[in-house]
Amino acid sequence: MSSFEADRMKDIEFSGIRKVFEEVEKIKAERMKDIPPSTIMGVFDQVSALKAEGRSIVSLFIGRPDFDTPDHIKDAAKEALDAGMTAYTSNYGIAELRQAIAEKLKNDNGLVFDPDTQIIVTSGANEAVFMAMMALLNAGDEVIVPDPMWSHYFQCARLAEARVVSVPMDEQNGYQLNPDDLEKAITDKTRMLVLNSPHNPTGVIYTHETVEAIAEVVERHGLLLISDEIYDRITYDDVELVSPGTIESIADRTITINGFSKTYSMTGWRLGYVAAHPDLTKAMIRVHQYTTVCATSFAQVGGVAALTGPQDSVGEMVAEFDRRRQVIVEAFQEMPGASVVEPKGAFYVFPNISALGRSAQQVADELLREAGVAVVPGHVFGVTGEGHIRISYAASLEDVKRGMEALIEYWVKNLK
Ligand code: PLP
């Protein structure tokens, strides 16, 4: 709309909007007071504004694969829509999809779930995290979130009025969560631990040894465990990936979350799922029933096609991600003063940029304004993220190369 406005209007404030914002500050619920707007969506808005001004920006900030959803998935959803599949489905999701998910979890992850009682199809993994926290946390409960971590967990826990306790992960230790550090953070209020492997923002995968040691602590303290495995099919160098739910002693207390956004490039479809013991799904389904009701009906049919159809596109996408990963990692390994933990999964790199002697926010701002490269400042992922930036290589190889050239130029110019 603003492009239709006369120039004289550009500095004229819209007093009505000001007023409404003041009102919102006053009327918003107590539980919202510590919930900030999403920084990543803030970068998204900044990038859109710069692009609208005609600036060429390389977007290396968002976790959205740059591929289209494979045709056979789109065709299945289109056919379902044309066949009139436009009504509510079961709150748990359509039976064919739950069956396909149960098979996927068994074949890929070694997890056994009853599709009738233990799987809920959600509007993305985002909803699954929210649902689990709303259904299973009481106000004042403590949730342990390793740091750095995807900030969604921090905010969902706060929405559930729980207290987030961060446990720093050590970069020198390859960001493997240390079980002794975890143990020290546990109090009589601790109710839940959140794990994410492959990990956003570092791309790290927890070793078998780490997962076993964490499982032992989880069991001994009777915690619930959220295991977000959304990047489970995006791994490199044949590393082993362990689903915590396969460890028998904690299987009943593990809530496994996954989705279609990353593996099949379906971020806009809003399709994910949660699998857990029936006592936990029974609690979670009531949050789902009173919020989203069910995931979009025809998107669920697309989900069946994704899981049961040809998987070639996944391999091709991962091979392409791997090429981009190598370009970024090699560049950082050669940059004087920089260091990086080599990611083994997902599509992020989390280099240490503290040699620049300025905050992650300042580096991200300067990279955007001066070098035309959009990244996410590391502090968004927790206190230990300061001194880092997150680079997403869910962007074309050409963009990754262009972005890294600009970043290296910025680095050389600004290194103290
Ligand atoms: N879990 C993690 C660790 C993520 O990084 C993301 C997205 O960036 C999600 C979940 C969101 O997944 P979905 O699109 O299925 O809601």
Side-chain angles (χ1 to χ4, degrees):
M1 280 304 276
S2 56
S3 59
F4 295 110
E5 284 180 356
D7 284 346
R8 81 177 68 82
M9 296 304 292
K10 77 178 190 314
D11 291 324
I12 309 291
E13 281 173 9
F14 191 177
S15 62
I17 287 184
R18 268 277 150 86
K19 185 142 187 300
V20 172
F21 281 159
E22 280 163 18
E23 289 302 305
V24 168
E25 277 310 309
K26 273 191 233 142
I27 63 171
K28 75 182 180 190
E30 264 299 293
R31 81 176 69 79
M32 296 304 295
K33 77 177 191 317
D34 293 329
I35 313 284
S38 155
T39 311
I40 296 180
M41 291 325 282
V43 179
F44 187 92
D45 291 343
Q46 268 178 291
V47 169
S48 307
L50 287 169
K51 283 186 173 168
E53 283 171 18
R55 288 278 313 270
S56 158
I57 304 292
V58 180
S59 290
L60 302 181
F61 72 98
I62 202 162
R64 182 181 62 190
D66 54 312
F67 307 99
D68 195 2
T69 304
D71 282 341
H72 69 279
I73 302 176
K74 293 201 283 189
D75 290 343
K78 281 189 234 170
E79 277 164 30
L81 192 54
D82 286 343
M85 195 175 169
T86 54
Y88 298 130
T89 71
S90 150
N91 295 136
Y92 284 87
I94 58 173
E96 302 89 301
L97 182 53
R98 280 182 279 131
Q99 182 62 42
I101 291 169
E103 275 161 29
K104 178 257 179 282
L105 290 172
K106 185 153 167 279
N107 298 336
D108 289 355
N109 312 97
L111 296 163
V112 179
F113 288 106
D114 171 7
D116 292 333
T117 58
Q118 293 191 272
I119 292 172
I120 306 173
V121 179
T122 58
S123 291
N126 272 276
E127 192 211 348
V129 172
F130 176 74
M131 216 167 78
M133 292 194 171
M134 287 304 282
L136 305 171
L137 294 173
N138 285 311
D141 281 349
E142 290 176 2
V143 180
I144 297 185
V145 182
D147 180 338
M149 194 69 134
W150 184 48
S151 66
H152 191 79
Y153 310 116
F154 298 98
Q155 312 315 344
C156 283
R158 288 181 184 129
L159 284 170
E161 298 177 69
R163 203 171 88 76
V164 176
V165 176
S166 297
V167 174
M169 291 192 290
D170 187 1
E171 190 172 349
Q172 306 309 322
N173 183 30
Y175 290 115
Q176 297 289 316
L177 178 61
N178 182 329
D180 295 334
D181 294 343
L182 170 63
E183 181 106 41
K184 277 186 223 139
I186 294 174
T187 70
D188 55 2
K189 294 210 174 89
T190 310
R191 174 120 178 104
M192 181 183 273
L193 166 69
V194 182
L195 293 184
N196 167 226
S197 174
H199 179 252
N200 177 5
T202 65
V204 158
I205 290 180
Y206 291 141
T207 62
H208 206 295
E209 201 188 356
T210 299
V211 178
E212 289 272 357
I214 293 170
E216 197 273 317
V217 178
V218 166
E219 195 216 347
R220 193 149 35 80
H221 292 274
L223 307 183
L224 290 170
L225 173 66
I226 286 190
S227 175
D228 181 345
E229 303 178 15
I230 188 111
Y231 298 103
D232 73 327
R233 298 283 305 277
I234 306 174
T235 63
Y236 314 105
D237 304 337
D238 295 325
V239 285
E240 183 198 21
L241 182 67
V242 185
S243 288
T246 55
I247 299 174
E248 215 186 313
S249 58
I250 59 161
D252 287 352
R253 51 184 67 252
T254 301
I255 300 138
T256 302
I257 290 176
N258 207 324
F260 297 80
S261 287
K262 317 291 178 175
T263 307
Y264 300 102
S265 200
M266 292 171 69
T267 52
W269 292 61
R270 309 310 305 126
L271 199 62
Y273 51 92
V274 56
H277 186 279
D279 289 351
L280 302 179
T281 51
K282 261 186 226 146
M284 290 189 274
I285 195 73
R286 279 176 282 148
V287 179
H288 188 63
Q289 281 174 334
Y290 297 117
T291 49
T292 46
V293 178
C294 63
T296 304
S297 54
F298 46 90
Q300 293 189 50
V301 178
V304 176
L307 292 177
T308 60
Q311 301 294 305
D312 331 11
S313 60
V314 181
E316 286 159 19
M317 193 175 70
V318 173
E320 180 56 27
F321 282 144
D322 197 7
R323 280 189 277 277
R324 304 168 185 180
R325 174 182 74 118
Q326 285 166 26
V327 169
I328 300 175
V329 170
E330 277 163 24
F332 273 100
Q333 281 167 346
E334 280 170 25
M335 274 152 75
S339 64
V340 69
V341 173
E342 188 183 31
K344 294 290 182 186
F347 36 63
Y348 307 107
V349 183
F350 201 57
N352 187 322
I353 47 95
S354 51
L356 288 172
R358 53 194 81 180
S359 73
Q361 185 67 60
Q362 195 182 343
V363 172
D365 287 346
E366 288 172 356
L367 276 174
L368 183 58
R369 272 186 281 109
E370 295 166 24
V373 183
V375 299
V376 182
H379 66 83
V380 167
F381 304 96
V383 181
T384 56
E386 187 47 75
H388 298 74
I389 51 174
R390 188 192 76 174
I391 298 177
S392 161
Y393 47 94
S396 71
L397 186 59
E398 197 194 334
D399 273 2
V400 166
K401 284 185 178 160
R402 207 152 57 92
M404 287 312 293
E405 273 164 28
L407 205 146
I408 290 169
E409 205 176 301
Y410 166 86
W411 186 271
V412 172
K413 203 166 95 194
N414 291 285
L415 190 65
K416 299 230 176 244

